[in-house]
Each structure stands twice: as structure tokens, then as C-alpha cells.
Amino acid sequence: MMLEGLTAADSGALPLYAVRPDGLAMFLDALPGAGAAFLRATGFAAGSGEHALLPGPDGLAGAVVGLGTESSPWSYGGLPKALPAGSSWRLETGSGDAGLATLGWALGAYRARRHKAAGSAPASLETPAGTEQAVMIAEAICTARSLINAPAADLGPAELADATASLATRHGATCEVVAGTALAQDFPAIAAVGGGSHRAPRVAMLRWTGAADGPLVALCGKGVCFDTGGLDLKTPSGMLRMKKDMAGAAVVLAVAEMVMRSALPVRLLVLVGAVENATSATAMRPMDVLRTRKGLKVEVGNTDAEGRLVLCDLLTYASEYNPTAIIDCATLTGAARVALGPDLPALFCNDDALADRLLAAGRANHDPMWRLPLHDGYDSWLDSPFADLSNVSQKPMAGAVTAALYLRRFVPPDIAWAHLDMYAWNDANRPGRPEGGEAQCARALHAMIAELPKKHHLASSL
């Protein structure tokens, strides 16, 4: 199905010109009719995302969008909702980057439609030839957004596991879902987190082989479908967006879809810990001591620090397969947002080569992240007098760092591991990034994984 905002060839499509500031004078000189005079009179400067409609003898002759000084999909991302509703456009040959235009347009046209009337249709772009990869990436991102935007009443642990299984079926992968007594035995920390909800926790495990001898990449996603905070209950305002606490799982599913549809010569192990952190007589309590898959005993210093309890069992399981790299994604700490704000996921990594590749992929794909330290000096802050470690530090500082240090306890030091602590939400509408769920880091992760087979010998040293 064609994404909303994209269309096949349309004979009625109007021309869209994309212009940089340094090419504006030449463009204006070549523009026919009254368009050039109109743009000069209105002060059009070709800034990123700046756009103008071009008048013609019969009304509308076309439109122009500025690209600014950098190539970015966001230059095009505001057009679907800024240009006349329902209008159709074609990118003029040689005008802008067709792939970036398609990606930005499709991401900008996305609307949360599950419980909201459609309203006016966005403007549509005639999909340029050779942009299949951009369309595929946009489809994966929009699917992840819809998962994140779904109310918790619609998307619980069972539904999130079903989404994983459905993805596997569509792309020739396998999926195993672990629940009940098997979950309690093999993933005890996850079972404890989900023990307070009537919606039972699950672990969904997707496996896919793009090349039998390809590097194995393990992706672990925090899938807390709603987080009340447990008995350490969140405030009402703190709970408002907690349907998005499964965004880490949505991101790894988006990455898996991109990898499989790109037929990359790698092997995937995707682990989704699908739970609900609820309050009840069967919920875990502060100062309970939990067993983990690794065998470490963890004291619950705070029941609202449940995401790391979900991830620690997934990381242990992934490590047992000795992958080339393990990457986990999670909406884990408010401390990361205090440090970096909503747009920069925090990257923690035990291997400089892997970190450098992730950072480079983020920069190249307009999907940034920022590295924070795994500072050994704070590791003792997780000590507990009653268990091997606590799930939180009792110090009111460096919360994102201590959360990452907790997770590091569950990954062997000889396996390259990256932890991405993300917000996964747009607080307001921006070009290409509508208000609501966002699959942060997914495009960067896909790009990084695509490079692994080309550097297979280097990858083995990770």
C-alpha cells in the first residue's frame, strides 16, 4: 500500500523546484513568467524548508522549496501539510535529492489515524524513480510511530508480541513467544516487572538470516506497554505519555524491518520484552530481591526503574549467542532528557569502534545521538547490602549513567554493546516530525548495520 502523501505518476501533478541559496539567482533568472518577480518581491531566500507558491495564468503554476545549506529530509517535511490540501506535486528533474525529498515528504505526511478522523488530505508527491529505499524506510518508521502512538488499552504485551510475530511472518523470519511458567523460569526479572498486571508479560524472539556467515546483530527493545511506576507510583503528569514506554521495542522492530527488506547479509536476533508495570497485590515491592537470568540477585530500590530489569534479562540472553554486537533501545531515564533534551538520544557504549560507527551513521542520516560515559567511578553507587546490586543508585545524580552501568553488568566485556536511552516522542509538530511517537535512531542503526558486512574483519574485533 502506498504511504499517505506519496502517489504514483499523476498527469496533473504540479512542478516542485528545490533550490539552495547559492543557486537561487540562477534559478530566478531561468524561471518563466511572473514567478521570479514574485519570489524577489516576497524576499524568498531558499532557507531550509522555506516555501512559496508560484502564480500562473490559470492560478497555480508550481511551488519552490528552499534547501538551506545542508541536505536534509526536513527541508521537505513540512510541505505535505503546508501546500494546498489534496494537491499533487512532482519534483523537477535535477532539483534536490529525490531520496531525501521522498523520505521527508512521507514522514511529514504521517498522521495518527487509529482514533482520529482523517480531515483534509495532505499534499502528495509523485514518487520519483529510484527512491524505493526511501519509501521502505519511511514505511518502517511510520509503522513504529503507529505502535508508539497506540493507547495502552489497544497495545498491551500480547499485542506487542503479536506485532513482532507478524513482522517475522511477513519477511520469512521465525518468532518464538515465551510466556507463563517458561518466562518465569528463563526471564525472571521480566516476569517480576509484569507480575502486577492482569496482562501477562511476554518475550518475543525474532530470528532472521540474511547470510549464513554474516555477522550476528542482537537488538533488544524495552517494551513496557504502560508504566505506572509500580508501587513507587508516578505522578499524574508523569504518567501522561507512558504509553510510549514501549518505544524501544518499536524502534528495534523498525530496524529489523529495514534490515530484512534491504536483504542485508547479516543475521538478526531481535528480543522484545513486552510487559506492563502496574500496581496490584502481586506487583513487585521496593526492597524485594529479584532473580535475573544471569543469576545475579537485584534489590528493587525503586519499582519505577523497571526498564533496566526488563533489559537485563534480554541482554543476558543475547550474550549467550556471542553476537558481533548487542544494541538495546529504551525510553529509560528522565536524566538523559535533562542532560540532552528530547532530540538527542544518549549513547552508552563499551567499544569505541562501535560507538564511532553509530555516531557517524547518526550524523549521515540526520538521526543524531550523543555519547555519554560509562564512568567506572559511579559503579559502586549500585551496591546493595542485601543483594548483588540494586536497580538504582541512591544518589540523586548521573541517573542515565548509573542506569547504563547497571545494564553493563549483564553484558560480557568482550562483546560490543551499545545502549540507547531515547525520548522517542515529538512534543510538537515540526517539518517531517509530527507530534507523537518517533522512531529515534532507527535509520542510524539500519545504516550502521548495512556497513557491518563491508567491514566484517573489523566487526569481529568489536
Side-chain angles (χ1 to χ4, degrees):
M1 178 184 295
M2 184 73 71
L3 278 170
E4 186 169 29
L6 299 181
T7 184
D10 182 353
S11 60
L14 294 165
L16 172 68
Y17 304 93
V19 186
R20 295 185 183 283
D22 59 5
L24 179 58
M26 183 180 298
F27 169 75
L28 292 176
D29 289 342
L31 191 63
F38 175 78
L39 291 176
R40 289 190 178 101
T42 56
F44 183 79
S48 178
E50 182 184 3
H51 64 278
L53 297 174
L54 299 175
D58 299 319
L60 189 58
V64 59
V65 62
L67 301 181
T69 57
E70 297 183 359
S71 297
S72 165
W74 313 134
S75 296
Y76 306 91
L79 296 177
K81 296 172 184 176
L83 295 178
S87 58
S88 181
W89 301 85
R90 68 175 186 276
L91 187 67
E92 283 296 288
T93 303
S95 180
D97 183 298
L100 290 178
T102 302
L103 178 63
W105 195 292
L107 294 180
Y110 171 86
R111 297 183 288 177
R113 297 281 293 274
R114 184 184 288 254
H115 295 295
K116 187 174 176 64
S120 299
S124 61
L125 178 69
E126 184 180 291
T127 309
T131 58
E132 294 80 8
Q133 181 83 345
V135 172
M136 178 274 291
I137 290 172
E139 288 174 342
I141 295 296
C142 290
T143 298
R145 287 174 171 178
S146 292
L147 284 173
I148 299 167
N149 287 331
D154 295 347
L155 186 79
E159 290 78 15
L160 184 55
D162 288 345
T164 308
S166 177
L167 177 66
T169 299
R170 293 198 303 272
H171 299 292
T174 64
C175 184
E176 176 187 357
V177 177
V178 182
T181 56
L183 183 77
Q185 176 62 38
D186 296 337
F187 299 92
I190 295 175
V193 170
S197 174
H198 69 284
R199 302 196 290 183
R202 291 159 169 77
V203 170
M205 301 186 291
L206 180 152
R207 291 178 171 85
W208 179 81
T209 299
D213 61 347
L216 175 62
V217 179
L219 302 173
C220 302
K222 173 188 172 184
V224 178
C225 296
F226 194 83
D227 181 19
T228 66
L231 295 179
D232 287 311
L233 195 66
K234 291 180 182 290
T235 62
S237 62
M239 261 190 263
L240 275 179
R241 290 179 179 150
M242 282 302 100
K243 69 177 185 178
K244 78 176 180 71
D245 215 18
M246 41 60 64
V251 167
V252 300
L253 293 180
V255 176
E257 179 173 355
M258 294 178 200
V259 168
M260 292 187 291
R261 290 181 65 177
S262 300
L264 297 182
V266 300
R267 293 173 293 145
L268 280 182
L269 171 63
V270 181
L271 304 175
V272 170
V275 301
E276 181 173 44
N277 188 22
T279 59
S280 75
T282 56
M284 61 180 177
R285 296 163 288 261
M287 299 193 75
D288 277 356
V289 175
L290 308 181
R291 180 174 63 90
T292 65
R293 182 179 179 91
K294 188 178 178 70
L296 293 174
K297 299 292 185 66
V298 176
E299 182 183 17
V300 180
N302 192 305
T303 64
D304 196 21
E306 85 298 332
R308 64 201 72 181
L309 296 172
V310 172
L311 287 174
C312 73
D313 275 356
L314 300 183
L315 292 171
T316 299
Y317 184 89
S319 298
E320 293 164 8
Y321 289 84
N322 194 32
T324 298
I326 300 175
I327 301 166
D328 75 71
C329 297
T331 49
L332 205 68
T333 68
R337 306 287 65 78
V338 171
L340 299 176
D343 293 345
L344 279 178
L347 167 66
F348 296 88
C349 191
N350 67 355
D351 183 275
D352 289 341
L354 177 58
D356 288 346
R357 291 181 192 178
L358 285 167
L359 292 169
R363 289 190 295 269
N365 291 275
H366 308 279
D367 199 10
M369 58 193 78
W370 196 267
R371 192 177 185 186
L372 294 182
L374 288 162
H375 181 54
D376 291 330
Y378 299 158
D379 194 66
S380 63
W381 291 9
L382 295 169
D383 289 350
S384 164
F386 306 110
D388 295 315
L389 74 164
S390 173
N391 72 329
V392 294
S393 163
Q394 295 307 313
K395 297 182 182 292
M397 296 173 285
V401 178
T402 54
L405 290 170
Y406 172 89
L407 296 177
R408 189 178 67 170
R409 300 277 189 105
F410 297 86
V411 181
D414 60 341
I415 295 179
W417 159 69
H419 160 57
L420 287 162
D421 186 341
M422 59 188 63
Y423 188 54
W425 190 265
N426 297 312
D427 287 322
N429 290 313
R430 292 177 295 166
R433 291 152 292 184
E435 182 178 356
E438 189 56 85
Q440 290 179 315
C441 301
R443 291 180 291 112
L445 288 173
H446 170 246
M448 188 281 294
I449 293 170
E451 291 296 313
L452 280 182
K454 300 175 185 177
K455 304 177 181 178
H456 194 72
H457 296 296
L458 286 175
S460 66
S461 69
L462 289 174

